[in-house]
Amino acid sequence: MKLEDVVSDVLGIPRGEVDDSLGPVRDSRWTSLKQMQLIIALEGRYATSFSRQEVRALKSVGAIREVLLGKGLAA
């Protein structure tokens, strides 16, 4: 499952709407609750955990991708 699939599943949106610019500023479906659910799903999918600093940086799909890549994980 790719990053886009995880985001699509958690936010309940079509995969085709998921791109690196997607984030809570651009899409009102990305709520604070969905943010937490997304973090939990990502930690499970990628078998990792995020620091508080990393969580604060997860403001878009592109930012999530950068954090995952920084951990050596293919996103």
Side-chain angles (χ1 to χ4, degrees):
M1 181 179 280
K2 292 186 169 193
L3 172 58
E4 292 82 357
D5 296 321
V6 175
V7 173
S8 171
D9 287 348
V10 171
L11 297 182
I13 62 175
R15 189 181 185 287
E17 292 183 23
V18 179
D19 62 25
D20 280 357
S21 68
L22 180 67
V25 172
R26 188 181 122 198
D27 195 312
S28 63
R29 295 172 287 190
W30 188 320
T31 63
S32 57
L33 176 58
K34 292 293 183 182
Q35 174 81 3
M36 293 309 300
Q37 291 171 336
L38 183 56
I39 291 166
I40 291 166
L42 291 166
E43 288 179 334
R45 163 59 182 92
Y46 292 97
T48 192
S49 61
F50 297 106
S51 69
R52 280 188 234 160
Q53 181 180 357
E54 289 170 332
V55 167
R56 281 185 250 129
L58 304 178
K59 296 182 186 250
S60 69
V61 173
I64 293 169
R65 187 180 317 281
E66 287 181 24
V67 169
L68 290 172
L69 291 172
K71 291 174 166 288
L73 301 168

mmCIF file of all heavy atoms in Angstrom, residues 2-3 6 8-9 12 14-15 20 22 34-36 39 43 50 52-53 55 59 62-64 69 74-75:
data_model
loop_
_atom_site.group_PDB
_atom_site.id
_atom_site.type_symbol
_atom_site.label_atom_id
_atom_site.label_comp_id
_atom_site.label_asym_id
_atom_site.label_seq_id
_atom_site.Cartn_x
_atom_site.Cartn_y
_atom_site.Cartn_z
ATOM 1 N N LYS A 2 0.632 2.124 -0.906
ATOM 2 C CA LYS A 2 1.415 3.346 -1.024
ATOM 3 C C LYS A 2 0.862 4.441 -0.118
ATOM 4 O O LYS A 2 -0.263 4.356 0.366
ATOM 5 C CB LYS A 2 1.395 3.834 -2.462
ATOM 6 C CG LYS A 2 2.129 2.945 -3.418
ATOM 7 C CD LYS A 2 2.162 3.584 -4.777
ATOM 8 C CE LYS A 2 3.133 2.832 -5.656
ATOM 9 N NZ LYS A 2 3.450 3.562 -6.862
ATOM 10 N N LEU A 3 1.652 5.480 0.058
ATOM 11 C CA LEU A 3 1.256 6.623 0.868
ATOM 12 C C LEU A 3 -0.091 7.170 0.415
ATOM 13 O O LEU A 3 -0.966 7.443 1.241
ATOM 14 C CB LEU A 3 2.330 7.712 0.804
ATOM 15 C CG LEU A 3 1.996 9.050 1.451
ATOM 16 C CD1 LEU A 3 1.659 8.878 2.929
ATOM 17 C CD2 LEU A 3 3.147 10.019 1.261
ATOM 18 N N VAL A 6 -2.962 5.100 1.720
ATOM 19 C CA VAL A 6 -3.219 5.300 3.150
ATOM 20 C C VAL A 6 -4.010 6.594 3.360
ATOM 21 O O VAL A 6 -5.019 6.611 4.070
ATOM 22 C CB VAL A 6 -1.901 5.336 3.963
ATOM 23 C CG1 VAL A 6 -2.172 5.661 5.424
ATOM 24 C CG2 VAL A 6 -1.142 4.021 3.832
ATOM 25 N N SER A 8 -5.857 8.232 1.188
ATOM 26 C CA SER A 8 -7.181 8.059 0.598
ATOM 27 C C SER A 8 -8.098 7.290 1.537
ATOM 28 O O SER A 8 -9.254 7.688 1.757
ATOM 29 C CB SER A 8 -7.048 7.320 -0.740
ATOM 30 O OG SER A 8 -8.303 6.962 -1.245
ATOM 31 N N ASP A 9 -7.596 6.191 2.096
ATOM 32 C CA ASP A 9 -8.405 5.372 3.008
ATOM 33 C C ASP A 9 -8.810 6.149 4.254
ATOM 34 O O ASP A 9 -9.966 6.121 4.664
ATOM 35 C CB ASP A 9 -7.655 4.106 3.418
ATOM 36 C CG ASP A 9 -7.558 3.083 2.298
ATOM 37 O OD1 ASP A 9 -8.252 3.232 1.271
ATOM 38 O OD2 ASP A 9 -6.776 2.130 2.454
ATOM 39 N N GLY A 12 -11.078 9.130 3.359
ATOM 40 C CA GLY A 12 -12.296 8.733 2.657
ATOM 41 C C GLY A 12 -12.496 9.500 1.359
ATOM 42 O O GLY A 12 -13.612 9.896 1.040
ATOM 43 N N PRO A 14 -11.278 9.836 -2.979
ATOM 44 C CA PRO A 14 -10.721 9.051 -4.087
ATOM 45 C C PRO A 14 -9.206 9.214 -4.172
ATOM 46 O O PRO A 14 -8.674 10.306 -3.949
ATOM 47 C CB PRO A 14 -11.397 9.650 -5.324
ATOM 48 C CG PRO A 14 -12.614 10.345 -4.814
ATOM 49 C CD PRO A 14 -12.265 10.809 -3.433
ATOM 50 N N ARG A 15 -8.533 8.136 -4.510
ATOM 51 C CA ARG A 15 -7.070 8.164 -4.601
ATOM 52 C C ARG A 15 -6.603 9.216 -5.609
ATOM 53 O O ARG A 15 -5.562 9.836 -5.428
ATOM 54 C CB ARG A 15 -6.535 6.788 -4.993
ATOM 55 C CG ARG A 15 -5.028 6.715 -4.878
ATOM 56 C CD ARG A 15 -4.520 5.339 -5.303
ATOM 57 N NE ARG A 15 -3.104 5.180 -5.094
ATOM 58 C CZ ARG A 15 -2.148 5.751 -5.818
ATOM 59 N NH1 ARG A 15 -2.454 6.588 -6.782
ATOM 60 N NH2 ARG A 15 -0.875 5.520 -5.563
ATOM 61 N N ASP A 20 0.767 15.598 -3.640
ATOM 62 C CA ASP A 20 1.663 16.138 -2.614
ATOM 63 C C ASP A 20 1.171 17.445 -1.999
ATOM 64 O O ASP A 20 1.566 17.788 -0.890
ATOM 65 C CB ASP A 20 3.069 16.311 -3.167
ATOM 66 C CG ASP A 20 3.853 15.008 -3.191
ATOM 67 O OD1 ASP A 20 3.329 13.970 -2.736
ATOM 68 O OD2 ASP A 20 5.006 15.019 -3.662
ATOM 69 N N LEU A 22 -1.927 18.087 -1.149
ATOM 70 C CA LEU A 22 -3.102 17.869 -0.303
ATOM 71 C C LEU A 22 -2.730 18.010 1.169
ATOM 72 O O LEU A 22 -1.742 17.439 1.630
ATOM 73 C CB LEU A 22 -3.678 16.472 -0.551
ATOM 74 C CG LEU A 22 -4.908 16.116 0.270
ATOM 75 C CD1 LEU A 22 -6.101 16.972 -0.141
ATOM 76 C CD2 LEU A 22 -5.241 14.635 0.118
ATOM 77 N N LYS A 34 -8.835 13.427 11.764
ATOM 78 C CA LYS A 34 -8.299 12.666 10.635
ATOM 79 C C LYS A 34 -6.772 12.709 10.639
ATOM 80 O O LYS A 34 -6.111 11.738 10.262
ATOM 81 C CB LYS A 34 -8.841 13.186 9.304
ATOM 82 C CG LYS A 34 -10.310 12.925 9.111
ATOM 83 C CD LYS A 34 -10.592 11.451 8.971
ATOM 84 C CE LYS A 34 -12.069 11.214 8.691
ATOM 85 N NZ LYS A 34 -12.373 9.794 8.587
ATOM 86 N N GLN A 35 -6.196 13.820 11.077
ATOM 87 C CA GLN A 35 -4.740 13.932 11.183
ATOM 88 C C GLN A 35 -4.202 12.869 12.136
ATOM 89 O O GLN A 35 -3.232 12.183 11.826
ATOM 90 C CB GLN A 35 -4.340 15.334 11.665
ATOM 91 C CG GLN A 35 -2.871 15.514 11.949
ATOM 92 C CD GLN A 35 -2.018 15.767 10.719
ATOM 93 O OE1 GLN A 35 -2.527 15.872 9.619
ATOM 94 N NE2 GLN A 35 -0.722 15.858 10.915
ATOM 95 N N MET A 36 -4.844 12.724 13.286
ATOM 96 C CA MET A 36 -4.399 11.726 14.263
ATOM 97 C C MET A 36 -4.589 10.315 13.714
ATOM 98 O O MET A 36 -3.725 9.454 13.878
ATOM 99 C CB MET A 36 -5.128 11.898 15.593
ATOM 100 C CG MET A 36 -4.780 13.197 16.316
ATOM 101 S SD MET A 36 -2.992 13.489 16.487
ATOM 102 C CE MET A 36 -2.488 12.069 17.424
ATOM 103 N N ILE A 39 -1.837 9.645 11.216
ATOM 104 C CA ILE A 39 -0.559 9.364 11.875
ATOM 105 C C ILE A 39 -0.519 7.924 12.372
ATOM 106 O O ILE A 39 0.468 7.206 12.155
ATOM 107 C CB ILE A 39 -0.307 10.364 13.022
ATOM 108 C CG1 ILE A 39 -0.038 11.753 12.432
ATOM 109 C CG2 ILE A 39 0.842 9.905 13.919
ATOM 110 C CD1 ILE A 39 -0.097 12.876 13.434
ATOM 111 N N GLU A 43 2.007 5.085 10.994
ATOM 112 C CA GLU A 43 2.915 4.379 11.894
ATOM 113 C C GLU A 43 2.746 2.876 11.745
ATOM 114 O O GLU A 43 3.730 2.133 11.747
ATOM 115 C CB GLU A 43 2.695 4.826 13.336
ATOM 116 C CG GLU A 43 3.201 6.224 13.601
ATOM 117 C CD GLU A 43 2.984 6.700 15.021
ATOM 118 O OE1 GLU A 43 2.047 6.214 15.704
ATOM 119 O OE2 GLU A 43 3.757 7.574 15.452
ATOM 120 N N PHE A 50 6.555 8.589 14.958
ATOM 121 C CA PHE A 50 6.921 9.973 14.657
ATOM 122 C C PHE A 50 7.154 10.739 15.951
ATOM 123 O O PHE A 50 6.393 10.603 16.907
ATOM 124 C CB PHE A 50 5.800 10.660 13.866
ATOM 125 C CG PHE A 50 5.535 10.037 12.532
ATOM 126 C CD1 PHE A 50 4.408 9.268 12.316
ATOM 127 C CD2 PHE A 50 6.414 10.220 11.476
ATOM 128 C CE1 PHE A 50 4.147 8.692 11.081
ATOM 129 C CE2 PHE A 50 6.174 9.648 10.233
ATOM 130 C CZ PHE A 50 5.030 8.880 10.039
ATOM 131 N N ARG A 52 7.366 14.319 18.133
ATOM 132 C CA ARG A 52 6.476 15.498 18.147
ATOM 133 C C ARG A 52 6.847 16.477 17.042
ATOM 134 O O ARG A 52 5.982 17.044 16.391
ATOM 135 C CB ARG A 52 6.542 16.205 19.500
ATOM 136 C CG ARG A 52 5.713 15.528 20.547
ATOM 137 C CD ARG A 52 5.661 16.374 21.786
ATOM 138 N NE ARG A 52 6.106 15.524 22.879
ATOM 139 C CZ ARG A 52 6.555 15.947 24.012
ATOM 140 N NH1 ARG A 52 6.672 17.237 24.243
ATOM 141 N NH2 ARG A 52 6.922 15.107 24.946
ATOM 142 N N GLN A 53 8.129 16.671 16.844
ATOM 143 C CA GLN A 53 8.595 17.583 15.800
ATOM 144 C C GLN A 53 8.153 17.085 14.427
ATOM 145 O O GLN A 53 7.705 17.863 13.588
ATOM 146 C CB GLN A 53 10.112 17.719 15.854
ATOM 147 C CG GLN A 53 10.671 18.671 14.820
ATOM 148 C CD GLN A 53 12.186 18.784 14.904
ATOM 149 O OE1 GLN A 53 12.823 18.190 15.762
ATOM 150 N NE2 GLN A 53 12.754 19.551 14.001
ATOM 151 N N VAL A 55 5.577 15.106 13.772
ATOM 152 C CA VAL A 55 4.122 15.232 13.689
ATOM 153 C C VAL A 55 3.734 16.650 13.294
ATOM 154 O O VAL A 55 2.856 16.853 12.450
ATOM 155 C CB VAL A 55 3.441 14.815 15.019
ATOM 156 C CG1 VAL A 55 1.981 15.233 15.043
ATOM 157 C CG2 VAL A 55 3.571 13.312 15.234
ATOM 158 N N LYS A 59 2.114 18.347 7.419
ATOM 159 C CA LYS A 59 1.055 19.287 7.046
ATOM 160 C C LYS A 59 0.542 19.090 5.625
ATOM 161 O O LYS A 59 -0.342 19.818 5.184
ATOM 162 C CB LYS A 59 1.550 20.713 7.216
ATOM 163 C CG LYS A 59 1.865 21.025 8.666
ATOM 164 C CD LYS A 59 2.315 22.444 8.840
ATOM 165 C CE LYS A 59 2.756 22.662 10.265
ATOM 166 N NZ LYS A 59 1.891 23.495 11.010
ATOM 167 N N GLY A 62 2.981 15.794 0.660
ATOM 168 C CA GLY A 62 4.384 15.988 0.310
ATOM 169 C C GLY A 62 5.282 16.035 1.542
ATOM 170 O O GLY A 62 6.379 15.466 1.547
ATOM 171 N N ALA A 63 4.825 16.702 2.592
ATOM 172 C CA ALA A 63 5.601 16.779 3.838
ATOM 173 C C ALA A 63 5.708 15.404 4.494
ATOM 174 O O ALA A 63 6.764 15.048 5.026
ATOM 175 C CB ALA A 63 4.964 17.782 4.791
ATOM 176 N N ILE A 64 4.629 14.643 4.437
ATOM 177 C CA ILE A 64 4.663 13.277 4.977
ATOM 178 C C ILE A 64 5.694 12.461 4.212
ATOM 179 O O ILE A 64 6.502 11.742 4.793
ATOM 180 C CB ILE A 64 3.275 12.616 4.893
ATOM 181 C CG1 ILE A 64 2.290 13.320 5.830
ATOM 182 C CG2 ILE A 64 3.367 11.124 5.213
ATOM 183 C CD1 ILE A 64 0.838 12.923 5.627
ATOM 184 N N LEU A 69 10.787 9.605 3.811
ATOM 185 C CA LEU A 69 12.043 9.422 3.092
ATOM 186 C C LEU A 69 13.240 9.710 3.993
ATOM 187 O O LEU A 69 14.279 9.054 3.900
ATOM 188 C CB LEU A 69 12.082 10.306 1.838
ATOM 189 C CG LEU A 69 11.110 9.892 0.723
ATOM 190 C CD1 LEU A 69 11.095 10.938 -0.386
ATOM 191 C CD2 LEU A 69 11.460 8.520 0.185
ATOM 192 N N ALA A 74 10.458 4.085 1.896
ATOM 193 C CA ALA A 74 9.923 4.414 0.574
ATOM 194 C C ALA A 74 8.463 4.800 0.704
ATOM 195 O O ALA A 74 7.665 4.083 1.292
ATOM 196 C CB ALA A 74 10.069 3.223 -0.363
ATOM 197 N N ALA A 75 8.139 5.982 0.203
ATOM 198 C CA ALA A 75 6.759 6.454 0.292
ATOM 199 C C ALA A 75 6.195 6.504 -1.097
ATOM 200 O O ALA A 75 5.323 7.135 -1.470
ATOM 201 C CB ALA A 75 6.727 7.817 0.983
#
